[in-house]
Amino acid sequence: MSGTHSHTVAFVRDTMLPEQAPPASEVGAIGWARHNLFSSWFNAILTIASLAAIYFVLAAIVPWILSPTWDGTSLSNCRETLAAAGHGDAHGACWGVIKERWIQLIFGFYPSHLYWRPIAAFVLLGVALAPVLFSDRVPSKLLIFSLLYPFIFPWLLWGGTIWMPIAAMAGFVIGGLVYKFASQALSTLLGVILGAAAAVIWWMVLAAPVSGALESILPIGIEAVESRKFGGFMLSVTIGVVAIACSLPIGIVLALGRQSDLMIVKYICVGFIEFIRGVPLITLLFVASTLLNIFMPPGTNFDIILRVLIMVTLFASAYMAEVIRGGLAALPRGQYEGADSLGLDYWQAQRLIIMPQALKISIPGIVSTFIGVFKDTTLVSIIGLLDPLGLSNAIRADANWNGIVWELYGFIALLFFVFCFSMSRYSMYLERKLQTGHR
Amino acid sequence: MSTLTDPPKEQFRLSMLLYDTRYRSATIQVIAMLGFMLLAAWLIDNTLSNLAAQDKAIDFGFFTESAGYDINQRLLEYTSRDSHLRAALMGLLNTLVVAVLGCITATILGVIIGVLRLSSNWLVARLMTIYVELFRNVPVLLWIVFVMAILIETLPAPRAFRGENPEATMSLADSVAVTNRGVYIPEPLFSRTLGDVHVFGEAALRFDVSLDLIAILAVLGLSLWGAHRVTLRANRIQEATGVRPKTWHVRTGIIVLPMLVLLIGLGFHLGYPALKGFNFQGGTHLRNSLIALWLALSLYTAAFIAEIVRAGIMAISKGQTEAAEALGLRSNRIMSLVVLPQALRVIIPPLISNYLNLTKNSSLAIAVGYMDITGTLGGITMNQTGRELECVLLLMLVYLAISLTISGVMNWYNEAVKLKER
């Protein structure tokens, strides 16, 4: 029978045991350490070696950082303070140099009563970027300010008459108007060509005399600052921001050109991109410092910072073009065909369907290009501009601070780290925000 | 009744160049070409008129003039009486030395760090993350001058090695001296040397090839080929009988013994550096500038390579690792036999661009005074002769040639190892 079997078993439990807490070695800090630090003998060795390494590094660095020399006035003064504090063998940082020179490291030789201008420029930069970076939290009307900002930025930094940026802006307005009328009356293509030609003629021929005339009629302006007074982080950020902002549109155009079916356009773009990517930035900076004036009409002599800006922008554009090309190539063919089937023309398809997706795919690459460009701005110290690294040499030339090395390098490295690290974190945030779930 | 008629023949109108898609692309191309040529003509015209105004026609004659400066870290023979062309050649060789050394160390470091970043050990993974973030987010130029400063400031001066109780001692059984002027390592010497072959006689590009080196390479090549034959034979036996004969002692013998015989025949010995006067004499002197550049570029690029390796490993599906585990492979063999070979396909293309970056970044040598091509051709030669256009153009061409060669070779390799599908 069915019951017979059960009688042969000596004992059957008929109640559940209550749940028990896991053994102490599996939970809490001990369990975590067993799983993550000491899971095998090899891991245990690695852990102990790492702990030892951390200890030695910290033991060397922490006492050095915690040195009471913030009030030092010179290196020898710092050494006396250290000896008096019993820091043994004068081992410790001399922070006096940072306290005395950090303003210079940030603003270079910019006139001190005008510090508000770069500060305002960079605060306004945040305002101008906000509708672009945080489009979901900031009213989109601010975008108008973002469009005006490229003209406000150089005016705030370099100063001078207000008519120059207005004249520059007028070029865009004129080009836009000519495009609008020409494209209605003739064709889109002719409109683009005529609009661009009108803008170029305005900038090359008319802008300077017109702004000069307006200046003589109505002199509105702020104190002008020469380029050679620019320096420090302000210079790095200026070069970085301009190169980043200009390289994105140029890079998009180059990438589209490289992907295009038009053979000549394609080879011009390929040649440009491969040439720029094949040479180091430093040779392009040599071009900026020695050759660019030779390429321009005789008698032209434009500012060294402007020349550097042009070359760094060209450099960044080539890299940007490759990143965006990657994004374009990653788009499924169906997206292009979908755009065609809707009857969109080339530019509409690019603007509404292709570019938003391609740019989203290439965000990580774009941001790492940004970071690379910002880091590469230190190279201008080699052609004699006073970026933070160039300034650190200038500071060491001062008799008071002769022999200071680590404090300056450490401070500069820290500032660069903060900038670049926050950029990379922002790109991660952006990637997560734009994540549509299907790749 | 219907008759077939030809469709009306369209007359070509000028406006079709703009509105007809058949012709429009040609129109756009012609306009682009014209614009490009106008721009190029404008630039060249400006350049020529500017050069004419300065009375400086393009002229590469300065290359044969005597350079008049010294290059202290060099591979070939060079004196300051040699020509600018030879100085540029020394610079090019120095660039290549740093690039090759840097690529090798950066790859080794990068692979180790990238694998360790995925380690199950929490502490090690975090440490490697800190390393990567630290090196990626600080400019490479800063790292180069930083490493240079470390070498100069913290290492003992040569005079610290002097005296009865020296403050510093040479490491590795008194063979390597690490000083703040650079590192002195033993150099290989041959007492019964075969001599050198002079190539190109007295020309600016002359170079000497050591017959000893050629002999060593030839013997090494032959022994490697022999060892390879032994492996092939072992494979055949294994396929035929299922038992793989032990070959490692045969292979070691084939590689080591001929080399030993050759080295003894040539009278191989090491020339040790020794403190004489104010500085070390003898041995090979690796200057600080070379070491700083090499170290900084390797450490910096390693951070990028580590990220590439990590991404490559993570791109391999977990099932591959699990299947290998199920077969009973140990974790290091899983990595080397299953994961890395597959990850290599994801890793290689970005790795190429990092090699290129390292090579291009080696131009920052000028910041620490290492005489690479930027320091010679783009530095002292340019400043001495005032031939900016020629020097910068040549400099760019040289780098362009190096870049194209590297990417060509690596792309060929990439083609070879890439997954063959359908």
Side-chain angles (χ1 to χ4, degrees):
Chain A
M1 305 294 282
S2 63
T4 48
H5 187 68
S6 62
H7 292 295
T8 61
V9 178
F11 175 77
V12 174
R13 175 178 285 283
D14 54 4
T15 51
M16 283 283 281
L17 274 176
E19 275 180 9
Q20 296 227 327
S25 63
E26 291 295 312
V27 288
I30 298 173
W32 181 87
R34 273 172 65 113
H35 281 292
N36 292 304
L37 299 179
F38 301 99
S39 56
S40 66
W41 61 267
F42 183 66
N43 262 345
I45 293 174
L46 277 184
T47 305
I48 290 166
S50 319
L51 283 176
I54 294 172
Y55 172 77
F56 283 118
V57 169
L58 288 186
I61 288 182
V62 170
W64 182 80
I65 289 179
L66 295 177
S67 90
T69 48
W70 283 97
D71 294 320
T73 53
S74 71
L75 186 58
S76 47
N77 180 288
C78 282
R79 291 209 172 116
E80 283 161 22
T81 317
L82 282 173
H87 245 264
D89 211 16
H91 179 77
C94 180
W95 294 117
V97 64
I98 302 294
K99 189 180 176 189
E100 188 187 299
R101 297 297 181 100
W102 69 274
I103 292 205
Q104 196 189 23
L105 276 173
I106 287 177
F107 291 107
F109 296 100
Y110 209 81
S112 56
H113 65 283
L114 296 178
Y115 280 164
W116 65 271
R117 271 168 36 186
I119 294 173
F122 293 118
V123 169
L124 288 180
L125 174 69
V127 178
L129 280 179
V132 184
L133 297 185
F134 302 97
S135 50
D136 48 346
R137 300 194 202 146
V138 180
S140 54
K141 276 199 182 139
L142 260 180
L143 270 176
I144 298 171
F145 180 74
S146 307
L147 288 180
L148 290 179
Y149 184 74
F151 306 97
I152 301 175
F153 177 75
W155 182 64
L156 269 178
L157 287 184
W158 275 273
T161 165
I162 198 171
W163 297 110
M164 207 57 213
I166 290 181
M169 213 185 317
F172 284 98
V173 176
I174 290 170
L177 287 178
V178 169
Y179 164 73
K180 202 175 163 194
F181 290 120
S183 61
Q184 275 167 6
L186 303 161
S187 80
T188 324
L189 180 66
L190 271 186
V192 172
I193 295 168
L194 289 179
V200 168
I201 290 173
W202 167 263
W203 284 320
M204 306 264 307
V205 184
L206 294 172
V210 169
S211 67
L214 284 170
E215 167 69 11
S216 59
I217 298 168
L218 203 69
I220 307 176
I222 49 179
E223 192 179 330
V225 180
E226 294 162 333
S227 280
R228 62 186 167 83
K229 297 207 166 142
F230 279 50
F233 262 91
M234 200 190 94
L235 181 65
S236 300
V237 175
T238 306
I239 297 176
V241 165
V242 173
I244 288 167
C246 300
S247 69
L248 195 57
I250 301 179
I252 291 177
V253 171
L254 281 173
L256 288 177
R258 194 171 181 166
Q259 293 286 78
S260 113
D261 301 325
L262 311 173
M263 200 185 63
I264 296 176
V265 175
K266 181 176 168 180
Y267 282 118
I268 291 175
C269 291
V270 170
F272 176 82
I273 293 172
E274 293 301 328
F275 174 71
I276 297 276
R277 278 164 41 94
V279 299
L281 178 57
I282 187 77
T283 58
L284 293 177
L285 291 177
F286 281 155
V287 170
S289 71
T290 61
L291 289 184
L292 211 52
N293 275 336
I294 296 185
F295 294 146
M296 292 294 130
T300 327
N301 192 8
F302 60 107
D303 190 80
I304 178 72
I305 293 189
L306 188 58
R307 285 183 265 160
V308 166
L309 279 179
I310 293 175
M311 294 322 276
V312 176
T313 304
L314 291 182
F315 181 76
S317 313
Y319 283 83
M320 198 63 78
E322 284 300 274
V323 169
I324 293 168
R325 184 172 74 112
L328 287 174
L331 269 195
R333 185 104 215 106
Q335 297 290 331
Y336 292 89
E337 290 163 355
D340 284 344
S341 73
L342 286 176
L344 301 181
D345 71 19
Y346 179 77
W347 293 109
Q348 285 172 325
Q350 293 298 342
R351 187 162 51 89
L352 299 172
I353 295 187
I354 309 297
M355 266 305 147
Q357 300 184 66
L359 288 181
K360 192 189 83 182
I361 298 173
S362 28
I363 285 174
I366 291 177
V367 177
S368 23
T369 312
F370 285 177
I371 295 177
V373 171
F374 183 60
K375 285 190 298 180
D376 281 346
T377 56
T378 46
L379 266 62
V380 299
S381 64
I382 292 181
I383 59 165
L385 294 188
L386 289 175
D387 83 313
L389 265 183
L391 273 176
S392 78
N393 294 330
I395 292 173
R396 260 199 305 278
D398 184 334
N400 279 341
W401 304 117
N402 195 342
I404 294 257
V405 182
W406 315 111
E407 295 82 351
L408 287 172
Y409 286 160
F411 182 67
I412 298 167
L414 179 74
L415 285 185
F416 269 104
F417 182 83
V418 168
F419 267 101
C420 299
F421 193 66
S422 33
M423 270 200 264
S424 74
R425 291 294 120 158
Y426 174 76
S427 101
M428 289 183 180
Y429 156 80
L430 203 60
E431 259 177 86
R432 271 199 307 279
K433 194 180 80 172
L434 297 179
Q435 182 73 263
T436 42
H438 46 79
R439 291 196 293 154
Chain B
M1 217 170 84
S2 62
T3 50
L4 271 173
T5 50
D6 281 341
K9 255 239 170 72
E10 233 181 312
Q11 287 284 266
F12 179 78
R13 279 167 287 115
L14 208 57
S15 62
M16 280 165 69
L17 283 180
L18 281 179
Y19 297 107
D20 194 321
T21 42
R22 280 174 298 176
Y23 305 114
R24 192 160 65 175
S25 66
T27 319
I28 296 177
Q29 300 211 50
V30 169
I31 292 173
M33 193 68 205
L34 279 180
F36 177 71
M37 278 160 59
L38 270 180
L39 183 70
W42 184 68
L43 288 177
I44 292 174
D45 178 57
N46 284 337
T47 311
L48 291 182
S49 53
N50 274 315
L51 287 179
Q54 292 174 18
D55 210 13
K56 269 207 299 201
I58 295 180
D59 176 15
F60 287 93
F62 68 92
F63 262 137
T64 52
E65 290 163 19
S66 165
Y69 59 90
D70 210 17
I71 298 176
N72 41 37
Q73 183 88 55
R74 56 175 189 257
L75 283 184
L76 300 182
E77 205 186 314
Y78 170 88
T79 63
S80 57
R81 285 188 307 282
D82 278 314
S83 65
H84 283 294
L85 183 58
R86 192 161 176 81
L89 177 72
M90 297 299 119
L92 176 60
L93 288 177
N94 280 347
T95 296
L96 294 178
V97 165
V98 163
V100 170
L101 287 177
C103 285
I104 295 171
T105 27
T107 313
I108 297 172
L109 272 177
V111 171
I112 294 175
I113 293 165
V115 171
L116 282 185
R117 239 196 119 173
L118 292 169
S119 155
S120 60
N121 189 317
W122 183 88
L123 196 61
V124 172
R126 288 302 170 286
L127 275 184
M128 293 305 140
T129 311
I130 291 175
Y131 173 90
V132 168
E133 295 294 352
L134 209 59
F135 273 89
R136 276 202 312 180
N137 289 317
V138 173
V140 61
L141 184 58
L142 192 55
W143 282 120
I144 293 174
V145 291
F146 200 74
V147 173
M148 187 70 180
I150 291 179
L151 293 180
I152 292 179
E153 302 275 328
T154 63
L155 294 178
R159 65 181 145 76
F161 290 81
R162 203 198 309 275
E164 286 296 304
N165 293 311
E167 297 163 44
T169 48
M170 292 165 72
S171 37
L172 290 182
D174 268 4
S175 62
V176 177
V178 183
T179 74
N180 66 356
R181 292 192 195 170
V183 177
Y184 296 82
I185 57 172
E187 60 178 335
L189 294 174
F190 301 95
S191 50
R192 286 181 291 277
T193 178
L194 298 171
D196 295 337
V197 180
H198 304 285
V199 185
F200 296 141
E202 285 302 304
L205 295 178
R206 70 186 179 274
F207 60 97
D208 299 341
V209 182
S210 158
L211 281 176
D212 308 318
L213 186 67
I214 294 182
I216 289 174
L217 288 180
V219 169
L220 189 68
L222 280 175
S223 0
L224 284 179
W225 179 73
H228 183 62
R229 295 294 303 224
V230 172
T231 316
L232 289 184
R233 182 172 160 271
N235 286 350
R236 270 202 309 279
I237 295 177
Q238 188 182 17
E239 271 168 30
T241 64
V243 182
R244 189 179 182 86
K246 260 204 167 70
T247 58
W248 66 267
H249 50 277
V250 184
R251 283 190 296 151
T252 320
I254 289 180
I255 292 174
V256 172
L257 285 178
M259 189 57 69
L260 269 182
V261 171
L262 179 73
L263 288 181
I264 292 171
L266 290 175
F268 174 81
H269 61 277
L270 287 174
Y272 291 102
L275 194 59
K276 279 188 194 128
F278 290 107
N279 213 335
F280 280 90
Q281 305 288 326
T284 305
H285 180 193
L286 301 176
R287 290 188 165 263
N288 270 339
S289 47
L290 169 64
I291 297 174
L293 193 66
W294 172 23
L295 213 60
L297 286 179
S298 316
L299 292 174
Y300 179 79
T301 313
F304 289 84
I305 295 182
E307 283 299 273
I308 293 167
V309 169
R310 185 174 73 109
I313 292 174
M314 280 165 66
I316 304 305
S317 90
K318 193 139 177 60
Q320 298 282 331
T321 320
E322 290 167 349
E325 268 166 10
L327 289 176
L329 292 180
R330 279 199 234 108
S331 61
N332 55 343
R333 307 214 74 190
I334 294 177
M335 195 46 93
S336 62
L337 293 178
V338 177
V339 177
L340 275 184
Q342 298 186 67
L344 220 53
R345 302 199 172 102
V346 187
I347 290 172
I348 284 177
L351 196 64
I352 300 171
S353 61
N354 266 294
Y355 288 159
L356 279 176
N357 279 344
L358 191 146
T359 311
K360 285 186 288 172
N361 279 338
S362 72
S363 60
L364 299 180
I366 199 167
V368 286
Y370 177 67
M371 297 297 269
D372 75 330
I373 183 107
T374 319
T376 55
L377 180 62
I380 303 181
T381 294
M382 183 165 86
N383 291 335
Q384 273 188 6
T385 60
R387 295 272 167 195
E388 292 96 359
L389 186 67
E390 293 89 338
C391 287
V392 172
L393 275 185
L394 263 180
L395 193 59
M396 284 183 158
L397 281 182
V398 166
Y399 275 111
L400 211 53
I402 297 177
S403 303
L404 292 180
T405 314
I406 294 180
S407 68
V409 169
M410 296 303 275
N411 281 331
W412 167 78
Y413 176 68
N414 190 27
E415 272 313 298
V417 301
K418 142 175 125 177
L419 202 59
K420 307 279 187 302
E421 282 181 282
R422 274 183 286 165

